[in-house]
PDB file of all heavy atoms in Angstrom:
ATOM      1  N   GLU A 373     -27.616   8.835   8.963  1.00 59.00           N
ATOM      2  CA  GLU A 373     -27.522   7.379   8.665  1.00 59.00           C
ATOM      3  C   GLU A 373     -26.252   6.881   9.440  1.00 59.00           C
ATOM      4  O   GLU A 373     -26.162   5.845   9.931  1.00 59.00           O
ATOM      5  CB  GLU A 373     -27.297   7.123   7.181  1.00 59.00           C
ATOM      6  CG  GLU A 373     -27.066   5.708   6.829  1.00 59.00           C
ATOM      7  CD  GLU A 373     -26.782   5.554   5.316  1.00 59.00           C
ATOM      8  OE1 GLU A 373     -27.104   6.598   4.537  1.00 59.00           O
ATOM      9  OE2 GLU A 373     -26.482   4.436   4.963  1.00 59.00           O
ATOM     10  N   PHE A 374     -25.140   7.687   9.439  1.00 60.00           N
ATOM     11  CA  PHE A 374     -23.974   7.213  10.030  1.00 60.00           C
ATOM     12  C   PHE A 374     -23.773   7.757  11.448  1.00 60.00           C
ATOM     13  O   PHE A 374     -22.723   7.443  12.079  1.00 60.00           O
ATOM     14  CB  PHE A 374     -22.696   7.835   9.263  1.00 60.00           C
ATOM     15  CG  PHE A 374     -22.552   7.001   7.875  1.00 60.00           C
ATOM     16  CD1 PHE A 374     -23.222   7.347   6.751  1.00 60.00           C
ATOM     17  CD2 PHE A 374     -21.716   5.930   7.948  1.00 60.00           C
ATOM     18  CE1 PHE A 374     -23.110   6.527   5.589  1.00 60.00           C
ATOM     19  CE2 PHE A 374     -21.424   5.256   6.697  1.00 60.00           C
ATOM     20  CZ  PHE A 374     -22.200   5.521   5.559  1.00 60.00           C
ATOM     21  N   ALA A 375     -24.744   8.344  12.076  1.00 61.00           N
ATOM     22  CA  ALA A 375     -24.742   8.905  13.474  1.00 61.00           C
ATOM     23  C   ALA A 375     -24.450   7.738  14.343  1.00 61.00           C
ATOM     24  O   ALA A 375     -23.674   7.883  15.385  1.00 61.00           O
ATOM     25  CB  ALA A 375     -26.023   9.515  13.721  1.00 61.00           C
ATOM     26  N   PRO A 376     -25.097   6.496  14.228  1.00 68.00           N
ATOM     27  CA  PRO A 376     -24.777   5.455  15.194  1.00 68.00           C
ATOM     28  C   PRO A 376     -23.366   5.120  15.332  1.00 68.00           C
ATOM     29  O   PRO A 376     -22.775   4.725  16.302  1.00 68.00           O
ATOM     30  CB  PRO A 376     -25.606   4.198  14.601  1.00 68.00           C
ATOM     31  CG  PRO A 376     -26.713   4.812  13.977  1.00 68.00           C
ATOM     32  CD  PRO A 376     -26.108   6.124  13.318  1.00 68.00           C
ATOM     33  N   MET A 377     -22.609   5.241  14.104  1.00 66.00           N
ATOM     34  CA  MET A 377     -21.210   4.984  14.086  1.00 66.00           C
ATOM     35  C   MET A 377     -20.510   6.017  14.854  1.00 66.00           C
ATOM     36  O   MET A 377     -19.557   5.542  15.613  1.00 66.00           O
ATOM     37  CB  MET A 377     -20.653   4.954  12.660  1.00 66.00           C
ATOM     38  CG  MET A 377     -21.106   3.834  11.729  1.00 66.00           C
ATOM     39  SD  MET A 377     -20.556   3.980  10.027  1.00 66.00           S
ATOM     40  CE  MET A 377     -18.844   4.053  10.144  1.00 66.00           C
ATOM     41  N   GLY A 378     -20.829   7.182  14.836  1.00 60.00           N
ATOM     42  CA  GLY A 378     -20.232   8.279  15.600  1.00 60.00           C
ATOM     43  C   GLY A 378     -20.479   8.105  17.097  1.00 60.00           C
ATOM     44  O   GLY A 378     -19.645   8.447  17.967  1.00 60.00           O
ATOM     45  N   ILE A 379     -21.697   7.758  17.361  1.00 70.00           N
ATOM     46  CA  ILE A 379     -22.120   7.525  18.735  1.00 70.00           C
ATOM     47  C   ILE A 379     -21.314   6.380  19.399  1.00 70.00           C
ATOM     48  O   ILE A 379     -20.894   6.455  20.524  1.00 70.00           O
ATOM     49  CB  ILE A 379     -23.593   7.337  18.884  1.00 70.00           C
ATOM     50  CG1 ILE A 379     -24.432   8.568  18.524  1.00 70.00           C
ATOM     51  CG2 ILE A 379     -24.004   6.890  20.310  1.00 70.00           C
ATOM     52  CD1 ILE A 379     -25.808   8.389  18.398  1.00 70.00           C
ATOM     53  N   SER A 380     -21.013   5.381  18.566  1.00 73.00           N
ATOM     54  CA  SER A 380     -20.385   4.211  19.118  1.00 73.00           C
ATOM     55  C   SER A 380     -18.946   4.454  19.380  1.00 73.00           C
ATOM     56  O   SER A 380     -18.348   3.928  20.178  1.00 73.00           O
ATOM     57  CB  SER A 380     -20.509   3.130  18.197  1.00 73.00           C
ATOM     58  OG  SER A 380     -19.687   3.264  16.943  1.00 73.00           O
ATOM     59  N   ARG A 381     -18.316   5.404  18.597  1.00 73.00           N
ATOM     60  CA  ARG A 381     -16.964   5.868  18.849  1.00 73.00           C
ATOM     61  C   ARG A 381     -16.895   7.339  18.794  1.00 73.00           C
ATOM     62  O   ARG A 381     -16.482   7.991  17.801  1.00 73.00           O
ATOM     63  CB  ARG A 381     -16.025   5.240  17.641  1.00 73.00           C
ATOM     64  CG  ARG A 381     -15.980   3.731  17.668  1.00 73.00           C
ATOM     65  CD  ARG A 381     -15.300   3.249  18.875  1.00 73.00           C
ATOM     66  NE  ARG A 381     -14.997   1.729  18.710  1.00 73.00           N
ATOM     67  CZ  ARG A 381     -15.845   0.787  19.093  1.00 73.00           C
ATOM     68  NH1 ARG A 381     -16.937   1.170  19.682  1.00 73.00           N
ATOM     69  NH2 ARG A 381     -15.590  -0.514  19.037  1.00 73.00           N
ATOM     70  N   PRO A 382     -17.211   7.993  19.924  1.00 75.00           N
ATOM     71  CA  PRO A 382     -17.308   9.445  19.910  1.00 75.00           C
ATOM     72  C   PRO A 382     -15.976  10.133  19.647  1.00 75.00           C
ATOM     73  O   PRO A 382     -15.870  11.172  19.125  1.00 75.00           O
ATOM     74  CB  PRO A 382     -17.830   9.731  21.288  1.00 75.00           C
ATOM     75  CG  PRO A 382     -17.551   8.501  22.089  1.00 75.00           C
ATOM     76  CD  PRO A 382     -17.623   7.420  21.117  1.00 75.00           C
ATOM     77  N   GLY A 383     -14.846   9.536  20.083  1.00 74.00           N
ATOM     78  CA  GLY A 383     -13.489  10.127  19.839  1.00 74.00           C
ATOM     79  C   GLY A 383     -13.263  10.193  18.242  1.00 74.00           C
ATOM     80  O   GLY A 383     -12.685  11.211  17.798  1.00 74.00           O
ATOM     81  N   TRP A 384     -13.647   9.198  17.569  1.00 67.00           N
ATOM     82  CA  TRP A 384     -13.460   9.089  16.171  1.00 67.00           C
ATOM     83  C   TRP A 384     -14.238  10.191  15.441  1.00 67.00           C
ATOM     84  O   TRP A 384     -13.805  10.905  14.547  1.00 67.00           O
ATOM     85  CB  TRP A 384     -13.843   7.720  15.654  1.00 67.00           C
ATOM     86  CG  TRP A 384     -13.910   7.581  14.107  1.00 67.00           C
ATOM     87  CD1 TRP A 384     -13.015   7.401  13.228  1.00 67.00           C
ATOM     88  CD2 TRP A 384     -15.120   7.615  13.314  1.00 67.00           C
ATOM     89  NE1 TRP A 384     -13.345   7.277  11.879  1.00 67.00           N
ATOM     90  CE2 TRP A 384     -14.621   7.471  11.945  1.00 67.00           C
ATOM     91  CE3 TRP A 384     -16.493   7.798  13.593  1.00 67.00           C
ATOM     92  CZ2 TRP A 384     -15.700   7.452  10.915  1.00 67.00           C
ATOM     93  CZ3 TRP A 384     -17.359   7.816  12.537  1.00 67.00           C
ATOM     94  CH2 TRP A 384     -16.916   7.659  11.264  1.00 67.00           C
ATOM     95  N   ALA A 385     -15.552  10.355  15.956  1.00 69.00           N
ATOM     96  CA  ALA A 385     -16.357  11.313  15.405  1.00 69.00           C
ATOM     97  C   ALA A 385     -15.878  12.745  15.642  1.00 69.00           C
ATOM     98  O   ALA A 385     -15.876  13.674  14.822  1.00 69.00           O
ATOM     99  CB  ALA A 385     -17.809  11.124  15.947  1.00 69.00           C
ATOM    100  N   LEU A 386     -15.410  12.933  16.785  1.00 76.00           N
ATOM    101  CA  LEU A 386     -14.929  14.235  17.236  1.00 76.00           C
ATOM    102  C   LEU A 386     -13.689  14.732  16.378  1.00 76.00           C
ATOM    103  O   LEU A 386     -13.580  15.864  16.004  1.00 76.00           O
ATOM    104  CB  LEU A 386     -14.532  14.259  18.753  1.00 76.00           C
ATOM    105  CG  LEU A 386     -14.195  15.703  19.345  1.00 76.00           C
ATOM    106  CD1 LEU A 386     -15.209  16.728  19.114  1.00 76.00           C
ATOM    107  CD2 LEU A 386     -13.890  15.473  20.850  1.00 76.00           C
TER     108      LEU A 386
END
Side-chain angles (χ1 to χ4, degrees):
E373 179 184 353
F374 283 84
M377 292 174 59
I379 294 172
S380 70
R381 296 291 189 272
W384 171 82
L386 183 57

